[in-house]
Structure formats: C-alpha cells, structure tokens
Amino acid sequence: MTDYAELADYEWLAGDEAAAILTDVSQRNDSLLAATSRLRKQLSAMRAHLLLELAELRTRATAKFAHADRMFFTGKLLEQATDGWIAGYKAGRFTGRGPIADLCCGIGGDLLALSKVGPTIGVDCDPIAICLAAANGRAVLPQEAAAKISLQSCHVEQIELSDYAAWHLDPDRRPNGSRTTSLEWSSPSLAAIEKLLVVAPTAAIKLAPAAEVPADWTDRCEQEWISRDRECRQLVAWHGGLAKSTGWRRATVLNREGTVLTTIVGLPNRVVPISTRIGQFIFDPDPALLAAHLTGELAAKHGLERISAGIAYLTGDAALIDPALACFEIDEVLPFERRRLASHLHERGIGTLEIKKRSIDVDPERLRRELKLRGDKSAMLILTPHNAKQIAILAHRVPAASPTSDLRPLASSYASRL
C-alpha cells in the first residue's frame, strides 16, 4: 500500500464497481469498524479508505450541493469548492457570452453551473481534480449540459484564453500548505493573473471574503461579496464585461436555496452616526454587508445609527423588514453584570437563550452555563458596548417574512434598567 491515492484509484472510485459497493455499504448500515473490516477483505487498503471517506464527504457536502449523494470529492477539494447555489447565481453573469474557461476548476463547483449557460472548458493542474470534475458532470448534469463541458489537465498559463469570451478563476490559496489572503502568494500568482487579464479582460476571480484585493483593482473591477444563509462565502472580482458597476462594491444576500434576497451597491466606509441612545429596535447587518464595508449605505437608507463606534449593530425606533438586516425588538436593557443578569433571567423564567455579542470578551457557551438558566421562556441576549459601558440587551427576533402591517405596534418605551 502507498501512503497516497493515485489517479487510477480515483478513476476506479468514479466507476461502476465502486458505485455498486457504495450502494451495498449504505444499505447494510454497518458500523464504521464493520464496514472497514469487510471492505478490506475485498479491496486494497487505499480503495477501502477512499470509499468510506467518500461516503462521509457526501454527507458533509449536502451543505454545498443539492446532489451531493451522487458527487465525488476529496476533503481539500470539497472545502475549496464553490457551493452549487452560489455558483448558479454567479453563472448568471456569463449568460450569452459564448465559450467560457473555468480555471482551477477543482471538482467542478462553478464548472457545473457555467456549463448550463454555455460551452465551458474546465482546467486544473491536478489530474485527480479533472477526473472528479468529469465524474460530477456525468453524475448531476443533464446530458445536454454535460456535453458542453471539456476538460484539460494543465497549468492555466497554458490555455489560450483569447479563444474564450470570458473566464472564471479560483486561485489556490494554499499552494504551500498554509492559507493566504494575498494574491501575491496564491497559485497562479498575482503577476500571472495580470498577464491573463491582458490577454482576456472579461473575467471573474473568486477570492476569500477577507482577501487582500490589489489596490489598483479598486477602479478596474467590481468587487462583490456574496452571502448565503447569513454566512459570507466569497468575494468575486468582476473584470471587464462581467462588471456591472466598475469601481463600486456590491453585497449580495442569498437565502439557503440560492434566491437573491437583496443586493446593495455603493462605496465603502460611509460614516454612520453614533447613537447616544438605544432605539426600540436593534439591527444586525448581513455578513456580506459587513465584509464589503457597506453598512453605511444601508444605515443611510433607513436612517439608522450605530450603537457604538466600530460596532456593527445599528439601532432605530421603527421595525424594518430588509433581507440585509436581522431585526430585533428590544424588551429590556441592563448593565452586563453576570449575577444581576442571571437573577433577572430567573425571575422571567427564561430557560432558552440565544446569545449574540460584539467587542465583548465572553464565551457565549460558558456564559450560558454560568447563568444557570431555567424556565420555559426564550429570549435573545445581545452583548455590546454603548456609551463606554458594557450592556446586555434582552430582545426578540422580528420574523423576516412578516409584512410591515403585521408588526406589533411600537411601545411608547421599553423597560430600561441601566
């Protein structure tokens, strides 16, 4: 047995024999020990390992792909892959543009979506990635879309990009094993990416949400932060004809199913006034908005203020239904003193507590244990600085789906124990 799997092992994994064995494993519902013991009697140690690993990866991949139970992964390639819902959203910008190149395609997260809008070539220097991308295309795509995919195992610099109307790139952010947020140390490097942009300027470059975008790209591309289900998943630098608002930033909010709930376009770091008082509602901006530094755009639109300097929480006196904001109605505001807070929660019979916090050094799970909660009521606890003090806000969530007319009338005041 070698210490690593070879291409032939993955080609076998994507074949009919492995599929039959996987079906048998799932139907038996054996323990891991029993399944391993049985597979080792009929397979090499490596192939037995790959089968069991794939079964586990498919379970994990359900958070990223609707058809995960049919797809093929390695742990690293699954982690790096764009999830299917975001990939579908991104692919919309490529519609009607002719042949597309998906560079560093991995297992095909973006490739599968791009193939639905036009002929696409997937390129990756890792032949195992190409093998699994091909298998995923066969497994989940309609025959017509699968026929639009071609694949090539080579370095991206070897592709003649002038033959393609647009291209997508997902640089490897761990070329040396350690994660980097700088394109200087990615693969391909920033210098190589710039050469590709000279040859073919219409491009989408996928980056981590916290990536260090080259300074001169600010005026050359549109930067879009994309969240799904209240988690910021990626930043895309749209270049050339794929940019809708060159020089601007965009925060796009998708729900769990990948539907666009809202998108905010603007310039970063707009100043938000600091509130001297806490209004009757508190708002938590979507992570895409925070990553794009566009909180000020939404605050200005709704007339909101920050609770404290440098704190993302906003406050106001009117309930808002905006997909970019989680809205909470405030019930009480107290000083953040553990004993006093615990006593108050006991008095109110609060046994279930969701805890959110900003700029306060506290472990929510440990705090929950220290409060020794009991009772059948639930509440939201928001911990945040305000007016140079640490405060505890008890609140309840205003459902995002509620129409404004269904919101409870505003109380004239909320109980304050500051």
Side-chain angles (χ1 to χ4, degrees), residues 282 327-334 341 344-356 364 367-368 371 373-383 392-398 408:
I282 188 169
C327 176
F328 305 93
E329 186 171 6
I330 296 175
D331 298 314
E332 295 180 277
V333 180
L334 303 91
L341 179 60
H344 187 68
L345 294 174
H346 294 165
E347 290 174 8
R348 294 192 58 184
I350 294 175
T352 303
L353 193 64
E354 181 180 351
I355 301 174
K356 299 173 71 70
L367 175 62
R368 191 178 283 107
L371 293 174
L373 302 171
R374 58 178 180 268
D376 56 4
K377 296 180 181 178
S378 61
M380 166 74 70
L381 176 65
I382 301 172
L383 306 174
I393 300 172
L394 287 174
H396 60 271
R397 190 183 297 269
V398 176
R408 294 195 301 166

Side-chain angles (χ1 to χ4, degrees), residues 237-313:
W238 300 100
H239 288 261
L242 291 176
K244 292 181 178 180
S245 307
T246 302
W248 292 67
R249 294 189 177 196
R250 181 182 298 266
T252 297
V253 179
L254 310 182
N255 65 9
R256 183 186 297 270
E257 293 75 30
T259 301
V260 177
L261 299 179
T262 189
T263 187
I264 299 94
V265 180
L267 296 175
N269 301 317
R270 182 169 179 173
V271 174
V272 182
I274 308 301
S275 178
T276 57
R277 55 175 289 276
I278 297 177
Q280 293 181 330
F281 292 83
I282 188 169
F283 304 92
D284 187 14
D286 185 87
L289 202 72
L290 299 178
H293 296 281
L294 290 177
T295 302
E297 292 289 335
L298 209 58
K301 173 184 175 182
H302 293 303
L304 303 176
E305 297 180 324
R306 285 191 191 274
I307 279 187
S308 189
I311 302 299
Y313 292 134

